[in-house]
Amino acid sequence: MTDRLLEVRDLQTHFHTRAGVLKAVNGVSFTLERGEILGLVGESGSGKSVTGFSLIGLVDPPGRIAAGSSIRFDGQELVGLPQAQMRALRGKRIAMIFQDPAATLNPVLTIGQQMTMAVQAHGGGGEAAARALAARSLTRVGIPDAVARLDAYPHEFSGGMRQRVAIAIALLHEPELIIADEPTTALDVSIQAQILAEMKALAKDSGTALIWISHDLATVSSLADRVMVMYAGRIVERGAVADVLRAPIHPYTRGLLDSLPALATPGEKLAQIPGSTPSLLALPPGCPFAPRCPRASEACRTDPPLVGDAQHGALCHHPLEVVA
Amino acid sequence: MAAFWREYRESWIAVVALAVVLLVVAAALLAPWITPQDPYDLANLNLRDARRAPGFVGSGGYVHWLGTDAQGRDLFSAILYGLRISLQMGIAAGAVAMTLGATLGILAANAGGRIEQAIMRVVDLQLSFPAILLALVLVAVLGQGKVPLIIALVTAQYAYFARTAYGAATAERQKDYVEAARATPLPGHRVVVRHLLPNCLPPLIVVGTVQVANAISLEATLSFLGLGLPPTEPSLGMLIANGFQYMMSGRTWISVYPGIALIVLIVAINVVGDQLRDQFNPRLRR
Amino acid sequence: MTPILVAENVTRRFAPRLTLGDRIAAALGAKADRRAVQAVTDVSLAVRRGETLGLVGESGCGKSTLGRMLAGILPPTEGRVLLDGGAPMQGGHKTTTRIQTVFQDPFASLNPRMRIGETIAEGPVTHGLIPRRQAARFAGEWLSKVGLDPAYAARFPHQFSGGQRQRVAIARALAMRPEVLVCDEPVASLDVSIQAQILNLFLDLRRELGLTSLFISHDLAVVRHVSDRVAIMYLGRIVEMGEAAKVYAMPRHPYTQGLLDSVPKLALGGNASVTFRPIRGELPSPLSPPSGCAFHPRCPQATELCRRERPALVPRSDGTLVACHHA
């Protein structure tokens, strides 16, 4: 039993489309300790969601995890694992929460039915025991009157409540890892704040490791211990939240922070990153951010080196500040 | 356009079906030149050639590849001319039904309120009638001939187009670009013609393709029952009907070959229609 | 600064459309759900010439509906909207061109079967603002103005990214030379880096064209960045309205305070430094609003008075309007 919960090495997830090979995840490596909260930040097309799906084995054809990728969960290699064994893991030891609860909740079944099915899928005993477990889980996520609510249908819940139910389902078997893909993006600000508060408390209480995927740096920073910034399928910067936000090394991270109205003076022009994300079908050679980077040079046509250290590092030829 | 064709090519069945349809259309267009006999010209027919098996060399001196029917018509020629009629009827009826139905459907969706309810109730009522029943009644009232037949086919079919256009127009109307057009403001007719209509076309094209097949089938049914075109212009349905009495005596070719021709055409059109429907479906294009 | 766009006691109700089937069922004794949703209730505000008024709130607050009424796209059920003293709508249709809208979803707000050059020039040509033969050049000029290559005029919307489409939408709206621009969540579906580009474009064009605008968004930081004044909405009513700097620095209404507290802030001190202070409870359904002050079930300062009596929107010493008994 290794201490590291998750070790990802050179994860490559490619989509073989009619137009070519789309490298959604292009060489991602990271580790995750037990009970740690890791944030994965990126804009659309960065590959953050696909990374999450790759970890839990939900990449469908024409997507494929390329050979040479390695995902070790508690010492066990997940890449190439037979479907049956992956299914045994999914929901029991690794769970996922999606952006839209409609993806998790079946509209024609009651919450109780769905949760008991989830319990019994991993050998949870009889109907009554499963229902009791479901009710406990619902109470844990702050849904009042849990036993009665088990007989309600998803449409009888508000958006925030539905997401809580999705979280409750994820927690049913006390998984060691929860992957949350933008779970609060579609919710109102006030409800989002509630869920963030609850998720943080729950994760700490149960010792569950959490990978929180989001496009919002602020949300991630309030929740996560460490954060990874993704761009065009690669992790361009990683480190402790405070370090990355206060002293970003990578120009993209700096650009993201400068784009935020929250940090700018009202009425003043925001420091924008020019251009847009490159097509993943035709990535430029070397650093994918070079075409948009104010510090780019000829050197950036080769793959950028890792600068910094294990605590706070980035892939860049011209980093902003090299951490000693 | 090129991308559309590239995607279409991926289904070999659809490509084959399209080839069949094009082949039939070509054959039908060229019929007067490639057939050995004009089956409408009664002077050509020789009763001594009647009911002969395929491969028979007739009094005209040529081989009857598909045999002859009860009047001595070369079946190959009769089938090609019959296909000609089928396509004429099917496409004409389809085109008129599409124009009429789409206009009504888009009008209903755009007008709203009582007009919308009135038009769509009539359309719904019509859809609940079996098409064949409606066509039969109309042909009985209007008599035989090409024009009455087209009227009957159009009446039986416009409702499908109306419903499709209505559904598409209702969905499109709620989209922001229509609201943006109205908010400019742009005059109502311009919004309908330049914004709504072009975006309702894809489902209409799909329905149109299948409805042409349906019209062909309907016309054949009417002809089979003797209510279609006059006997001097035999369509495929009539050929099948004429040959029916000879099925038991072993002269099956008189009914079967026209039947096969009809089935092949209808199936081919349907397969093309299915492929179009799948391609027009908004989904992740991989 | 004189007001150019005014809403006077505007209310908007949405009643369910009963079909013939429903009516028959009702006649036979089945209960028809005739509950109307009151999306906006008794809102009065004035947008001054040259200013940007931000309209902010969560789902169900009515900001989009209010925006549509102010834009002349949707008629109010009660009250009226005045654009420079005149009505923007006549006979249920918008007749004025002096106010234009930029919509939220850049993927749905452009006609997928119309080239973007035509989309931009269509309005001006139809209204005689430019002669038809100059349409192509006109469209090209506007594309440049919003930061796109004029050669793109012949392309279709699906060939562009979300940010580029939103630029086209802005060009389309401004090509009509409006005096007022209503932006309904214009950056909500865009990535952060693209959002910054579009906000900058908006700031530039606003200054260059002397636009008055109404900026609707759920994103508090974005609204603060572009607005002179801001109005916070909750369940169809304005609960606080005033100069943006003042409202954000010193929010008076408990909902505004809670909202500003709820927005995740960049944890420059790491996640441990963050304490969450969310507003408790759920957003009420517009179908059954709470009695008295709509916010009272969730308000930490609520009293019996709040449950009984709805507070009026009254100005405070610094000019900010607040609807609260205890603020």
Side-chain angles (χ1 to χ4, degrees):
Chain A
M1 176 93 121
T2 54
D3 218 24
R4 287 252 157 84
L5 181 63
L6 190 64
E7 268 186 78
V8 177
R9 240 199 302 274
D10 198 23
L11 174 64
Q12 303 246 359
T13 307
H14 299 168
F15 284 81
H16 299 264
T17 70
R18 210 177 282 126
V21 179
L22 210 136
K23 296 193 176 171
V25 182
N26 194 14
V28 160
S29 307
F30 65 92
T31 58
L32 184 68
E33 311 289 332
R34 282 173 210 288
E36 188 182 9
I37 303 181
L38 178 66
L40 191 48
V41 170
E43 300 180 290
S44 45
S46 60
K48 58 191 192 300
S49 289
V50 180
T51 305
F53 289 131
S54 303
L55 292 176
I56 201 169
L58 284 179
V59 177
D60 288 331
R64 200 167 48 219
I65 299 180
S69 311
S70 162
I71 304 174
R72 294 197 90 85
F73 177 72
D74 198 16
Q76 183 182 21
E77 178 63 54
L78 295 185
V79 177
L81 198 65
Q83 276 297 319
Q85 292 188 42
M86 196 66 219
R87 266 201 299 273
L89 274 179
R90 203 183 294 136
K92 189 161 177 67
R93 298 183 69 196
I94 309 178
M96 189 148 184
I97 304 169
F98 300 89
Q99 175 173 348
D100 182 6
T104 327
L105 298 177
N106 186 333
V108 300
L109 296 176
T110 63
I111 305 295
Q113 284 171 315
Q114 296 184 54
M115 291 183 81
T116 45
M117 278 201 287
V119 173
Q120 292 176 317
H122 295 281
E127 177 92 20
R131 267 182 80 92
L133 181 58
R136 268 203 305 280
S137 206
L138 283 181
T139 315
R140 236 172 124 193
V141 295
I143 294 183
D145 212 9
V147 177
R149 297 302 258 161
L150 280 177
D151 294 322
Y153 286 90
H155 70 261
E156 296 176 63
F157 288 86
S158 69
M161 283 295 184
R162 264 180 273 186
Q163 201 60 300
R164 284 197 179 84
V165 172
I167 296 169
I169 295 178
L171 288 172
L172 279 172
H173 290 282
E174 313 268 339
E176 291 154 72
L177 170 64
I178 294 181
I179 303 170
D181 186 11
E182 306 246 36
T184 56
T185 303
L187 301 174
D188 285 308
V189 170
S190 57
I191 309 298
Q192 176 174 279
Q194 292 175 0
I195 303 243
L196 283 174
E198 287 156 27
M199 278 300 314
K200 193 167 183 180
L202 279 168
K204 290 301 178 195
D205 279 343
S206 55
T208 309
L210 183 60
I211 296 182
W212 189 276
I213 302 171
S214 175
H215 68 279
D216 183 13
L217 262 172
T219 312
V220 167
S221 71
S222 58
L223 205 56
D225 305 311
R226 281 191 303 135
V227 67
M228 303 192 301
V229 179
M230 276 189 82
Y231 186 81
R234 287 184 224 192
I235 298 178
V236 294
E237 182 157 1
R238 74 180 78 218
V241 163
D243 293 338
V244 173
L245 291 183
R246 272 206 308 255
I249 300 177
H250 199 281
Y252 175 61
T253 317
R254 176 81 263 160
L256 270 185
L257 287 165
D258 288 343
S259 300
L260 293 175
L263 292 180
T265 319
E268 296 277 304
K269 280 186 80 160
L270 298 158
Q272 63 187 49
I273 308 175
S276 50
T277 38
S279 160
L280 293 169
L281 290 165
L283 286 168
C287 177
F289 187 61
R292 304 171 76 189
C293 183
R295 300 163 71 87
S297 71
E298 269 303 302
C300 301
R301 293 228 237 168
T302 57
D303 275 338
L306 181 63
V307 290
D309 54 32
Q311 292 301 101
H312 183 191
L315 283 172
C316 188
H317 284 291
H318 306 288
L320 287 166
E321 278 147 59
V322 181
V323 179
Chain B
M1 194 62 215
F4 191 85
W5 174 236
R6 232 184 299 128
E7 202 178 333
Y8 188 94
R9 272 199 316 226
E10 288 182 9
S11 164
W12 66 268
I13 293 185
V15 175
V16 167
L18 185 63
V20 168
V21 172
L22 292 174
L23 197 68
V24 169
V25 170
L29 282 174
L30 297 171
W33 292 277
I34 57 176
T35 53
Q37 181 196 76
D38 177 0
Y40 298 160
D41 189 355
L42 294 170
N44 274 344
L45 303 179
N46 192 332
L47 277 174
R48 272 191 288 130
D49 293 326
R51 296 182 293 277
R52 296 296 187 170
F56 172 74
V57 181
S59 53
Y62 50 86
V63 183
H64 292 279
W65 292 106
L66 297 178
T68 57
D69 75 351
Q71 273 83 41
R73 275 191 205 94
D74 171 35
L75 223 44
F76 175 67
S77 313
I79 288 176
L80 278 191
Y81 272 82
L83 284 171
R84 222 171 133 91
I85 292 178
S86 293
L87 284 169
Q88 274 176 0
M89 293 286 115
I91 292 173
V96 177
M98 163 131 64
T99 312
L100 180 63
T103 309
L104 280 174
I106 294 180
L107 206 79
N110 208 43
R114 298 246 162 96
I115 303 179
E116 175 184 358
Q117 300 281 334
I119 295 181
M120 292 323 288
R121 290 297 84 79
V122 170
V123 166
D124 282 341
L125 211 67
Q126 177 112 29
L127 283 171
S128 59
F129 262 90
I132 180 70
L133 195 63
L134 205 54
L136 277 173
V137 168
L138 281 165
V139 167
V141 165
L142 297 168
Q144 290 189 300
K146 279 193 181 170
V147 173
L149 196 53
I150 292 185
I151 293 178
L153 291 173
V154 167
T155 313
Q157 295 195 300
Y158 84 90
Y160 294 100
F161 290 103
R163 184 123 283 260
T164 306
Y166 175 73
T170 307
E172 294 299 309
R173 271 189 94 226
Q174 290 163 7
K175 293 204 179 146
D176 282 348
Y177 73 86
V178 175
E179 186 162 25
R182 271 197 250 115
T184 312
L186 289 176
H189 58 86
R190 198 184 165 92
V191 175
V192 170
V193 173
R194 287 293 267 127
H195 292 269
L196 268 184
L197 186 59
N199 287 289
C200 292
L201 276 182
L204 282 172
I205 292 175
V206 173
V207 173
T209 323
V210 173
Q211 286 300 342
V212 166
N214 279 353
I216 293 174
S217 166
L218 200 54
E219 180 274 321
T221 312
L222 289 173
S223 301
F224 181 85
L225 295 171
L227 292 167
L229 294 169
T232 46
E233 288 181 61
S235 78
L236 292 174
M238 175 160 302
L239 291 173
I240 298 174
N242 288 347
F244 228 54
Q245 48 196 298
Y246 304 104
M247 287 287 278
M248 288 300 131
S249 62
R251 298 191 192 88
T252 53
W253 63 87
I254 309 180
S255 272
V256 169
Y257 289 145
I260 291 177
L262 194 61
I263 290 174
V264 165
L265 178 62
I266 292 177
V267 168
I269 296 179
N270 269 308
V271 171
V272 171
D274 275 355
Q275 178 65 16
L276 287 180
R277 184 201 59 213
D278 286 344
Q279 276 191 249
F280 277 132
N281 223 353
R283 73 220 188 292
L284 207 58
R285 288 174 172 270
R286 294 222 167 260
Chain C
M1 279 194 287
T2 52
I4 182 173
L5 184 61
V6 172
E8 288 177 2
N9 302 101
V10 156
T11 298
R12 175 72 202 192
R13 263 188 295 277
F14 290 103
R17 259 169 54 161
L18 293 177
T19 64
L20 188 61
D22 293 331
R23 267 191 267 262
I24 295 177
L28 290 173
K31 208 148 48 98
D33 189 359
R34 292 167 165 276
R35 279 186 303 175
V37 173
Q38 194 135 308
V40 174
T41 309
D42 199 22
V43 164
S44 298
L45 56 79
V47 186
R48 303 178 199 133
R49 235 173 256 278
E51 82 166 344
T52 299
L53 177 66
L55 208 52
V56 92
E58 298 177 290
S59 20
C61 72
K63 59 189 190 298
S64 273
T65 310
L66 180 60
R68 276 175 157 70
M69 287 194 282
L70 286 166
I73 302 176
L74 191 66
T77 320
E78 283 170 34
R80 59 182 189 160
V81 171
L82 295 170
L83 175 64
D84 205 9
M89 294 183 91
Q90 229 117 67
H93 297 286
K94 179 169 179 277
T95 48
T96 181
T97 59
R98 297 167 66 186
I99 179 165
Q100 295 291 329
T101 309
V102 175
F103 296 88
Q104 171 175 354
D105 185 356
F107 293 86
S109 67
L110 299 175
N111 185 340
R113 292 189 186 272
M114 199 183 256
R115 294 176 208 273
I116 59 164
E118 284 179 64
T119 301
I120 293 174
E122 190 182 18
V125 167
T126 309
H127 284 272
L129 293 172
I130 51 157
R132 185 174 294 277
R133 66 182 181 281
Q134 283 182 18
R137 192 157 59 89
F138 181 77
E141 281 166 12
W142 268 107
L143 283 172
S144 293
K145 242 195 175 103
V146 295
L148 291 171
D149 187 348
Y152 288 169
R155 293 197 190 174
F156 289 94
H158 69 262
Q159 295 171 273
F160 295 95
S161 67
Q164 289 171 320
R165 274 183 245 202
Q166 206 60 313
R167 289 175 196 266
V168 174
I170 291 172
R172 174 181 58 190
L174 293 178
M176 291 296 295
R177 304 216 189 101
E179 292 162 59
V180 184
L181 187 67
V182 175
C183 303
D184 187 1
E185 301 263 23
V187 294
S189 45
L190 303 176
D191 279 324
V192 167
S193 58
I194 309 297
Q195 175 178 284
Q197 294 175 7
I198 302 295
L199 287 176
N200 283 345
L201 179 66
F202 172 74
L203 291 173
D204 280 339
L205 289 170
R206 172 178 82 173
R207 192 188 47 236
E208 186 186 324
L209 301 170
L211 286 173
T212 308
S213 54
L214 184 68
F215 199 96
I216 304 168
S217 176
H218 67 279
D219 189 328
L220 286 151
V222 166
V223 168
R224 176 177 148 272
H225 192 75
V226 299
S227 309
D228 300 305
R229 283 194 307 143
V230 69
I232 320 281
M233 288 187 74
Y234 189 79
L235 214 59
R237 290 179 203 268
I238 296 181
V239 296
E240 187 160 358
M241 179 160 63
E243 270 179 52
K246 287 186 189 163
V247 172
Y248 277 83
M250 211 177 64
R252 286 195 163 88
H253 196 282
Y255 177 59
T256 317
Q257 290 166 355
L259 210 54
L260 287 168
D261 277 343
S262 295
V263 172
K265 285 160 214 40
L266 277 170
L268 296 166
N271 66 340
S273 67
V274 174
T275 40
F276 292 105
R277 277 194 304 265
I279 308 174
R280 63 152 198 259
E282 291 283 316
L283 282 162
S285 158
L287 280 170
S288 46
S291 61
C293 170
F295 189 59
H296 84 258
R298 305 172 76 192
C299 184
Q301 302 172 38
T303 61
E304 180 59 31
L305 175 64
C306 305
R307 198 164 57 82
R308 265 198 341 256
E309 201 180 298
R310 195 174 41 76
L313 190 68
V314 288
R316 303 301 146 116
S317 51
D318 64 353
T320 310
L321 291 135
V322 187
C324 181
H325 292 299
H326 303 292

